[in-house]
Amino acid sequence: MTDDQGGVVLYWRPMCAYCIRLRLRLLFSPLRYVKVNIWRDPEAAAFVRSVADGNETVPTVTVAGRPMVNPSKKELLAAVAAHSPGSMS
């Protein structure tokens, strides 16, 4: 699992339509983030379950260590502006 307490981590899994949608919306934004596939990282999957009521709900994103389950692009960028402005290049 990636532990990026100061930055942005996007937890995702293959074939997740919500993950694809968020990643496409972030494609042309200046946001820098780390992607973690929860199907390849059991610790990451356990973390997602711990913040998503026991479910592997993705995308789950952490901004400076603060979890967000299935955020919109607007919600995510607002959290980045408030808690991790250095993640915007």
Side-chain angles (χ1 to χ4, degrees), residues 9 11-12 27-28 30 38 48 57 60-61 70 76-77 81 83 85 87:
V9 180
Y11 297 91
W12 69 285
L27 193 59
F28 297 106
I38 66 168
V48 168
T57 305
T60 290
V61 183
N70 198 16
L76 176 55
L77 294 180
H83 304 293
S87 295

Side-chain angles (χ1 to χ4, degrees), residues 1-4 9-14 34-50 56 58:
M1 182 175 90
T2 300
D3 187 16
D4 191 349
V9 180
L10 186 145
Y11 297 91
W12 69 285
R13 65 174 169 75
V34 175
K35 297 180 299 239
V36 178
N37 180 343
I38 66 168
W39 282 0
R40 292 191 178 197
D41 187 333
E43 287 182 38
F47 169 74
V48 168
R49 287 191 303 273
S50 78
E56 290 185 358
V58 287

Side-chain angles (χ1 to χ4, degrees), residues 64-82:
R66 294 167 175 84
M68 304 175 74
V69 178
N70 198 16
S72 68
K73 177 183 174 184
K74 182 178 179 179
E75 292 168 331
L76 176 55
L77 294 180
V80 168

